[in-house]
């Protein structure tokens, strides 16, 4: 009987046979009793994967040079006025902004030096510009659009679905709300100076409220003047998507939002590790409760946010119409997402109750992992460097993808005076975009996991004590020189995780010591899939890092050895390892939710983001992922340290059982927890009659 498997309530006969088959090849070598193998015995692991990874990077570098040499950098943000002048270049070099006077074909537009802005107190108190208000009067203080909308504006109503330019740019009686009159508005707008490059449609750039209109606006990305008044803003939303390159354009627009999100999440993750070290017990339970409360609150807020969007003709809502349209058009998605959050909140409470005893038992290891993480300054510096490198790679590749898109022939509907351009796509450009998309993901994942690999290597050396005299820089160099190929193999971990979440439950439900008729039928029906899952998919785990470093093993053997150890000693390790995974996930989710909330606050207070981000849901999803992946870098150190300690314990446990070695070298915190777990299992053991 294989120790630790027969006693499990959900033991599987096929797992016992698997372990018996694996034991001869994958039991831990006696040489590992002294800790990780010496540097002089190390070898380069997973050479094929390393070669493929390097070839991908070289291909990306080569195609980047090709794209930069065969594309026009100005084409990324080039727009034309209705006479064909490229704003910001050529004879329109000093006029970078496009100023539209119609939002459907045939377009009428002109290039301007700056976007016109309104002072609504000037409209009310000094429309003709001749009689300025006294310094101590209310009209002396400038009144911008945002303040006017919140304090004075009323509801805006359109006369028909097809808004004419005169109605869009003219006096809006409902919105003005008697704060100023139509006469005052017309007098004020006629004296607005528009510094533009004259063209065929606008030879004088003089506002006449017939052919050329003046409207309150702001400049976006040195590209276009975006209108603020409700009706003009609603019309502009119909064409704004064509000013960027879909989601990529939105990502460029939201760069600052992503940067703030990453910094907030990084700081929060460092605070997380410090709090765990200072008061482990209290913080452990508070964080679990906080996650449950966050899920429930998020679910309630999502549903309430959908049901309280407000009228689209509200003055301020006209600028944020894309956000409101996203809520309205994705009713089913929003209600489903809110319901899922509520369910996850209840599930978190259930997990807390079910595993409460084991959570209490795992607290010493949580504290040890936090202490080990914080006392190693190299890991913290490495994490900060990796974060900066990941952000740099992301921004650089985003720019390169934009340059690839602008390669080739530029197309524009000049007969209609269209300001928009598109670029012809062919198979070669599609291939380059696919290469850089996959390569960017692979590089960012490898950077992130290399940081975790170094953490696992240092933890192994600390655990076994013999190598504590080796400098961390040496460990870093050996990891980089020998095992970067194995780290690069981790690109398959996310697809594997998705596959496990999608089908793992089915394998679990159809496998037992005494399967019923339905289980046997389903298992026979899905036998090829189940066999593949059990022999390949189920063996892959991020916990392979310490095994690779301990014995300088390749990706697949290291994963298989860890699988063997995990299943053989599942009674001793399963729940404690699960607690570590849950706790790391809790920290990452809390930070991701915090990042998402702060990002929403920034978005909600930025009219520019609200009016110019078209794919609102995608942007919120990306900020959540920024918080989860990049911002949780320090939590990865903590979680990797915790997991590595457990793997090292299983390695020693196997060596002790197979070779009868002396007492385990594991830290006292780990030994205490394992003794308590063994005592708990002994109390639950029932002798067969």
């Amino acid at each position: 009987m294989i120790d630790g498997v027969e006693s499990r309530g959900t033991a599987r006969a096929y797992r016992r046979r698997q372990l018996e088959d694996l034991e001869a090849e994958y039991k831990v070598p006696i040489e590992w009793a002294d800790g990780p193998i010496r540097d002089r015995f190390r070898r380069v692991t997973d050479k094929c994967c390393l070669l493929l990874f390097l070839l991908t990077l070289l291909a990306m570098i080569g195609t980047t040079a090709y794209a930069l040499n065969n594309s026009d950098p100005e084409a990324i943000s080039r727009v034309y006025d209705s006479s064909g002048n490229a704003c910001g270049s050529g004879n329109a070099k000093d006029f970078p902004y496009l100023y539209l006077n119609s939002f459907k074909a045939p377009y009428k537009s002109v290039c301007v030096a700056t976007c016109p802005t309104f002072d609504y107190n000037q409209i009310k108190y000094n429309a003709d510009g001749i009689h300025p208000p006294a310094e101590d009067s209310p009209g002396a203080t400038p009144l911008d659009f945002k303040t006017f909308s919140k304090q004075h504006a009323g509801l805006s109503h359109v006369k028909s679905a097809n808004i004419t330019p005169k109605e869009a740019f003219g006096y809006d009686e409902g919105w003005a709300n008697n704060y100023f009159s139509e006469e005052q508005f017309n007098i004020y707008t006629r004296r607005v100076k528009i510094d533009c490059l004259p063209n065929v449609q606008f030879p004088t750039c003089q506002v006449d409220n017939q052919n050329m209109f003046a409207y309150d606006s702001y400049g976006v990305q040195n590209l276009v003047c975006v209108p603020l008044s409700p009706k003009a803003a609603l019309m502009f939303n119909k064409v704004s998507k064509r000013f960027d390159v879909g989601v990529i354009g939105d990502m460029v627009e939201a760069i600052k939002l992503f940067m703030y999100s990453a910094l907030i999440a990084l700081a929060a993750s460092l605070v997380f590790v410090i709090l765990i070290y200072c008061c482990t017990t209290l913080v452990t339970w508070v964080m679990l409760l906080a996650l449950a409360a966050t899920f429930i609150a998020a679910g309630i807020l999502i549903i309430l946010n959908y049901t309280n969007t407000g009228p689209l003709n509200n003055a301020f809502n006209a600028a944020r119409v894309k956000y409101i349209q996203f809520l309205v058009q994705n009713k089913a998605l929003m209600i489903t997402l809110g319901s899922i959050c509520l369910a996850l909140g209840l599930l978190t409470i259930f997990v807390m109750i079910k595993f409460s005893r084991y959570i209490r038992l795992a607290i010493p290891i949580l504290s040890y992992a936090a202490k080990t993480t914080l006392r190693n300054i190299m890991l913290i510096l490495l994490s900060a460097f990796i974060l900066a490198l990941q952000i740099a790679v992301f921004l650089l590749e985003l720019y390169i993808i934009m340059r690839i898109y602008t390669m080739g022939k530029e197309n524009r509907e000049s007969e209609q005076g269209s300001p928009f351009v598109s670029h012809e796509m062919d198979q070669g450009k599609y291939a380059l975009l696919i290469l850089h998309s996959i390569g960017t993901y692979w590089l960012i994942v490898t950077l992130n996991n290399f940081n975790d690999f170094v953490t696992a290597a240092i933890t192994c050396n600390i655990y076994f004590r013999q190598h504590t005299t080796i400098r961390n820089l040496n460990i870093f160099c050996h990891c980089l020189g020998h095992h970067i190929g194995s780290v690069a193999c981790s690109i398959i971990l996310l697809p594997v995780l998705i596959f496990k979440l999608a089908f793992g439950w089915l394998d679990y439900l159809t496998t037992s010591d005494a399967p019923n008729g339905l289980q046997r039928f389903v298992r026979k029906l899905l036998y090829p899939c189940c066999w593949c899952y059990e022999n390949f998919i189920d063996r892959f785990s991020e916990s392979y890092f310490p095994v690779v470093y301990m014995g300088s093993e390749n990706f697949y053997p290291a994963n298989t050895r860890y699988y063997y150890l995990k299943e053989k000693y599942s009674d001793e390790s399963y729940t404690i390892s699960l607690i570590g995974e849950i706790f790391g996930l809790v920290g990452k989710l809390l930070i991701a939710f915090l990042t998402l909330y702060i990002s929403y606050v920034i978005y909600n207070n930025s009219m520019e983001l609200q009016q110019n981000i078209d794919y609102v849901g995608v942007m919120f999803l990306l900020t959540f992922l920024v918080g989860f992946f990049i911002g949780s870098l320090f939590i990865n150190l903590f979680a990797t340290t915790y997991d590595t300690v457990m793997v090292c314990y299983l390695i020693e446990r196997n060596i002790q059982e197979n070779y009868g070695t002396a007492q385990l070298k594991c830290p006292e915190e780990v030994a205490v927890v394992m003794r308590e777990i063994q005592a708990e299992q002994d109390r639950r053991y029932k002798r067969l009659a």
Side-chain angles (χ1 to χ4, degrees):
M1 182 181 70
I2 303 297
D3 182 32
V5 175
E6 192 70 39
S7 59
R8 281 181 62 184
T10 58
R12 300 173 176 87
Y14 77 94
R15 289 288 169 90
R16 294 196 297 271
R17 292 194 299 270
Q18 277 186 330
L19 291 177
E20 291 170 356
D21 294 338
L22 293 173
E23 182 131 37
E25 183 176 357
Y26 290 103
K27 66 180 181 182
V28 179
I30 183 62
E31 293 81 7
W32 291 17
D34 294 329
I37 64 171
R38 303 289 178 173
D39 297 333
R40 64 179 179 274
F41 300 119
R42 292 199 171 271
R43 63 186 181 86
V44 177
T45 55
D46 292 291
K47 296 178 182 178
C48 292
C49 182
L50 176 60
L51 179 61
L52 183 60
F53 179 60
L54 293 177
L55 288 176
T56 301
L57 295 183
L58 289 175
M60 291 174 65
I61 294 172
T63 54
T64 295
Y66 175 79
L68 295 179
N69 288 328
N70 291 274
S71 63
D72 182 359
E74 295 182 358
I76 295 175
S77 59
R78 181 180 293 141
V79 290
Y80 294 88
D81 70 6
S82 50
S83 293
N85 297 302
C87 298
S89 62
N91 61 335
K93 182 178 180 181
D94 298 327
F95 304 90
Y97 294 99
L98 180 72
Y99 186 76
L100 288 160
N101 263 248
S102 65
F103 299 106
K104 59 183 179 180
Y107 295 96
K108 292 183 179 181
S109 59
V110 65
C111 298
V112 299
T114 58
C115 296
T117 58
F118 286 6
D119 179 350
Y120 294 89
N121 270 342
Q122 285 289 306
I123 298 177
K124 179 179 177 66
Y125 297 103
N126 187 28
D128 56 10
I130 300 174
H131 306 92
E135 293 183 1
D136 57 347
S137 67
T141 304
L143 183 63
D144 61 12
F145 171 83
K146 189 172 183 179
T147 307
F148 174 79
S149 295
K150 290 184 176 181
Q151 295 181 359
H152 305 288
L155 294 179
S156 176
H157 298 275
V158 298
K159 297 177 181 178
S160 66
N162 297 317
I163 308 176
T164 64
K166 189 171 183 179
E167 180 185 353
F169 302 129
Y171 178 70
D172 191 338
E173 182 178 4
W175 181 65
N177 200 24
N178 296 321
Y179 191 77
F180 50 82
S181 66
E182 181 175 6
E183 182 182 5
Q184 289 173 319
F185 179 81
N186 289 333
I187 293 173
Y188 178 83
T189 53
R190 284 195 184 98
R191 71 179 182 86
V192 171
K193 301 296 184 183
I194 298 179
D195 184 10
C196 76
L197 175 69
N199 60 17
V200 175
Q201 289 73 29
F202 304 101
T204 64
C205 296
Q206 179 65 44
V207 176
D208 56 12
N209 288 340
Q210 295 293 328
N211 183 50
M212 185 169 210
F213 301 90
Y215 54 85
D216 197 2
S217 63
Y218 64 96
V220 175
Q221 293 183 353
N222 212 34
L223 179 66
V224 63
C225 295
V226 177
L228 287 169
S229 55
K231 293 181 181 179
L234 286 171
M235 289 191 69
F236 180 79
N237 286 330
K238 297 179 181 179
V239 300
S240 61
K241 283 186 178 181
R242 298 186 61 185
F243 279 103
D244 54 44
V245 190
V247 175
I248 295 177
D250 279 356
M251 292 170 67
V252 173
E253 181 72 33
I255 284 295
K256 291 183 179 179
L257 189 63
F258 295 143
M259 296 287 287
Y260 290 139
S261 300
L263 293 175
I264 290 166
L266 184 66
S269 63
L270 181 58
V271 171
F272 166 87
V273 179
I274 294 173
L275 289 176
I276 291 296
Y277 173 68
C278 295
C279 41
T280 311
T281 303
L282 176 63
V283 172
T284 298
W285 294 108
V286 168
M287 288 189 62
L288 289 169
L289 287 171
L291 181 63
T294 300
F295 272 126
I296 293 173
I300 294 173
L301 289 174
I302 288 171
I303 295 173
L304 290 179
N305 200 27
Y306 164 72
T307 57
N308 292 277
T309 55
L312 289 178
N313 58 352
N314 178 276
F316 191 69
N317 280 353
R320 62 199 300 259
V321 65
K322 293 178 181 178
Y323 172 65
I324 297 173
Q325 286 177 339
F326 168 76
L327 296 178
V328 173
Q329 293 171 358
N330 294 276
K331 176 181 179 180
L333 174 64
M334 299 305 296
I335 294 176
T336 301
L337 182 59
S339 302
I340 290 174
C341 287
L342 291 173
L344 289 174
L346 297 176
L347 178 63
T348 303
I349 295 174
F350 171 77
V351 170
M352 288 177 59
I353 297 172
K354 179 176 176 62
F355 293 100
S356 59
R357 178 169 178 78
Y358 287 102
I359 292 172
R360 182 188 63 78
L361 291 177
I363 284 176
I365 305 182
L366 294 172
S367 179
Y368 173 81
K371 177 177 65 178
T372 303
T373 301
L374 286 174
R375 77 180 186 181
N376 199 318
I377 189 65
M378 176 198 167
L379 291 180
I380 296 176
L381 294 176
L382 177 62
S383 296
F385 173 74
I386 291 293
L387 172 65
L389 198 56
Q390 286 176 311
I391 293 175
V393 168
F394 175 77
L395 296 178
L396 177 62
E397 283 299 318
L398 186 61
Y399 174 75
I400 292 170
I401 288 174
M402 294 283 285
R403 289 289 294 268
I404 291 174
Y405 172 76
T406 59
M407 292 170 57
K409 184 180 178 182
E410 181 180 273
N411 297 322
R412 185 177 75 91
E413 298 175 356
S414 56
E415 297 80 6
Q416 298 293 325
S418 174
F420 315 113
V421 297
S422 62
H423 297 267
E424 291 184 354
M425 296 294 294
D426 54 33
Q427 292 183 348
K429 288 175 69 173
Y430 280 121
L432 291 179
L433 291 174
I434 292 172
L435 169 67
H436 280 265
S437 298
I438 295 176
T440 300
Y441 171 74
W442 197 358
L443 180 56
I444 290 177
V445 167
T446 301
L447 287 171
N448 186 73
N449 288 325
F450 177 73
N451 189 55
D452 294 343
F453 191 93
V454 174
T455 303
I458 291 174
T459 304
C460 286
N461 282 282
I462 294 175
Y463 182 100
F464 286 96
R465 299 187 181 92
Q466 279 84 354
H467 296 296
T468 52
T469 56
I470 297 180
R471 297 181 179 225
N472 287 344
L473 183 59
N474 290 0
I475 297 175
F476 173 88
C477 293
H478 281 289
C479 291
L480 182 63
H482 294 108
H483 306 306
I484 193 65
S486 297
V487 177
C489 281
S490 60
I491 189 177
I492 73 169
L493 292 181
L494 181 58
V496 165
L497 176 61
I498 295 173
F499 193 92
K500 285 183 177 181
L501 292 175
F503 302 105
W505 61 273
L506 184 61
D507 177 76
Y508 181 82
L509 292 178
T510 58
T511 309
S512 66
D513 283 337
N516 57 37
L518 179 61
Q519 287 177 311
R520 288 194 297 269
F521 172 75
V522 173
R523 188 159 186 81
K524 287 181 180 179
L525 185 66
L526 302 176
Y527 178 77
C529 297
C530 292
W531 184 89
C532 180
Y533 180 88
E534 293 155 8
N535 289 275
F536 295 99
I537 300 297
D538 198 27
R539 297 190 183 186
F540 295 135
S541 167
E542 196 169 336
S543 299
Y544 77 93
F545 291 157
V547 181
V548 169
Y549 184 74
M550 285 290 295
S552 195
E553 294 189 332
N554 285 330
F555 176 80
Y556 183 77
N559 273 278
T560 306
R561 192 184 298 277
Y562 172 72
Y563 172 81
Y564 158 75
L565 292 171
K566 179 187 68 174
E567 291 298 320
K568 183 174 178 65
Y569 304 107
S570 58
D571 281 347
E572 297 176 56
S573 66
Y574 177 78
T575 306
I576 294 299
S577 296
L578 181 62
I579 296 302
E581 293 175 5
I582 290 175
F583 202 70
L585 181 61
V586 167
K588 293 177 182 180
L589 285 175
L590 282 175
I591 289 173
F593 275 117
L594 175 65
T595 304
L596 180 62
Y597 173 74
I598 295 177
S599 299
Y600 174 76
V601 171
I602 295 173
Y603 171 87
N604 202 38
N605 287 277
S606 172
M607 197 171 300
E608 181 174 338
L609 292 176
Q610 291 182 33
Q611 197 166 19
N612 294 289
I613 290 181
D614 300 304
Y615 299 90
V616 180
V618 175
M619 290 304 103
F620 282 140
L621 175 62
L622 289 175
T623 56
F624 183 87
L625 294 177
V626 165
F628 188 85
F629 289 108
I630 297 182
S632 60
L633 217 56
F634 290 131
I635 293 183
N636 282 344
L637 301 184
F638 160 81
T640 303
T641 300
Y642 181 100
D643 190 57
T644 301
V645 168
M646 295 306 304
V647 175
C648 290
Y649 171 80
L650 297 182
I651 289 172
E652 276 205 298
R653 180 81 172 79
N654 192 246
I655 292 174
Q656 185 184 55
E657 178 182 297
N658 289 322
Y659 306 105
T661 56
Q663 185 178 1
L664 300 178
K665 303 173 184 177
C666 66
E668 184 60 25
E669 295 91 336
V670 180
V672 169
V673 171
M674 292 306 171
R675 284 196 295 267
E676 290 192 30
I677 290 177
Q678 189 61 53
E680 177 72 15
Q681 292 171 351
D682 290 342
R683 284 193 296 270
R684 295 184 178 184
Y685 175 74
K686 295 181 179 180
R687 185 179 297 277
L688 295 176

